[in-house]
Amino acid sequence: MRVCRMAGEFQRGLKTQIRCISALIIRDVMSHYGRANIGFLWIVLEPLILATGVMTIWHTLKPSFEHGVPILRMAFTCYLPLTLWRHLTNSCLGLLSHSYGLLYHRRITLVDIVISRLALEAMGTTTALVFAYLVLAAADLIELPTEPSWAVAGWISMIVLAGGMGFILAILSEYSEATQRFVQPMQYLMLPLSGAFFMVDWLPTSAQSIALLNPTVHCYEMFRAGVLGDSVVTHFTPWYPALCGMVLFAIGIYGLDSLRSKLHPN
């Protein structure tokens, strides 16, 4: 009986949190994009326009192949996951102070605020990914994934990893405004190590094990294994980026417990 009662309470609590997060997502859409003009479509169009621009430049200026990989496909597997990472992490900077007024509602927690923003950015970028893939496939510029399960696994792993980092940055940006100034420069400095512009198999054997210490490299390798298939050699451990992301989530949720009393309206 006690177990059934606890299960019922958990189910009711879960439904409440899902309703809160859904309402916060709708609020974010309305407050940031409004009901006029293209509204929510801009969440999809923004990453799509940026990715299309970069892929066009790469296709125009670079050779047709990079280490035997068609340059357009390489650009696709490079820039779409990179856009996902940047949108999820950057969207959390200063988020909690700007959303301070929402804490008036008893059922809304700091975790709900962060998760709703991450979910919104993930949905928008994922929709952009699917739309861009369908357009490129229809134009016969890119093939359908030979191993779609690896492509999905790599994309989801990037969402988990970037989401966990988003939690950490949301907390750090409340303790220090300098965090917001240094995050983007640091991200640019980390780009050469992220795995976005290289594949592990292209590196010397001695450098491959070092590159694989970075969890984002595994996300890119998984995504490319799904999109490019047997035409490339990939190196990754499927559980590693997800584990790193879950650890970051756990640290972030724990850190939010002590943050509420320190928040001030922005």
Side-chain angles (χ1 to χ4, degrees):
M1 182 67 70
R2 184 178 179 183
V3 174
C4 293
R5 186 166 59 252
M6 292 176 63
E9 291 176 356
F10 174 79
Q11 187 176 14
R12 286 192 296 272
L14 182 61
K15 288 180 178 179
T16 299
Q17 296 310 115
I18 291 175
R19 286 199 300 270
C20 287
I21 292 172
S22 300
L24 288 170
I25 290 174
I26 295 172
R27 174 192 174 274
D28 278 347
V29 172
M30 293 298 101
S31 62
H32 286 82
Y33 304 100
R35 295 180 175 86
N37 299 321
I38 59 177
F40 175 76
L41 283 178
W42 185 247
I43 302 175
V44 177
L45 288 176
E46 183 183 7
L48 184 61
I49 292 170
L50 292 173
T52 302
V54 170
M55 287 189 289
T56 302
I57 293 172
W58 277 37
H59 185 65
T60 304
L61 300 181
K62 285 180 171 287
S64 300
F65 289 84
E66 182 84 13
H67 291 268
V69 180
I71 194 63
L72 188 60
R73 298 178 193 176
M74 185 63 189
F76 181 87
T77 60
C78 158
Y79 201 75
L80 268 300
L82 176 60
T83 302
L84 177 66
W85 171 271
R86 292 180 60 187
H87 274 236
L88 263 65
T89 53
N90 292 346
S91 67
C92 293
L93 293 171
L95 172 63
L96 300 177
S97 289
H98 286 94
S99 305
Y100 181 83
L102 294 173
L103 298 178
Y104 169 80
H105 302 281
R106 182 171 58 88
R107 294 188 182 277
I108 294 179
T109 66
L110 295 175
V111 174
D112 294 334
I113 293 172
V114 178
I115 288 180
S116 65
R117 179 58 61 85
L118 293 173
L120 176 62
E121 296 293 343
M123 288 188 293
T125 312
T126 302
T127 305
L129 166 76
V130 174
F131 185 76
Y133 208 111
L134 292 176
V135 170
L136 291 172
D140 202 26
L141 295 174
I142 191 170
E143 297 177 356
L144 293 175
T146 56
E147 295 288 345
S149 58
W150 282 128
V152 172
W155 189 258
I156 293 176
S157 295
M158 185 65 84
I159 290 175
V160 174
L161 191 61
M165 181 57 68
F167 261 86
I168 301 299
L169 293 177
I171 296 171
L172 292 178
S173 63
E174 299 302 332
Y175 281 103
S176 172
E177 291 187 6
T179 302
Q180 301 185 42
R181 304 290 184 268
F182 283 100
V183 165
Q184 291 197 11
M186 287 300 298
Q187 287 188 347
Y188 284 119
L189 291 174
M190 291 296 294
L191 271 180
L193 305 177
S194 67
F197 301 114
F198 68 86
M199 295 190 65
V200 174
D201 199 61
W202 300 351
L203 302 176
T205 305
S206 57
Q208 291 182 6
S209 58
I210 298 175
L212 289 171
L213 294 175
N214 186 348
T216 61
V217 172
H218 295 257
C219 299
Y220 283 105
E221 291 284 301
M222 270 191 283
F223 189 67
R224 286 169 178 148
V227 174
L228 303 176
D230 296 335
S231 62
V232 295
V233 177
T234 52
H235 304 263
F236 58 87
T237 303
W239 55 264
Y240 180 60
L243 176 62
C244 293
M246 295 305 294
V247 170
L248 292 174
F249 266 108
I251 295 172
I253 292 173
Y254 177 80
L256 287 177
D257 287 338
S258 60
L259 185 63
R260 183 161 183 160
S261 61
K262 296 181 175 61
L263 282 178
H264 299 285
N266 196 340

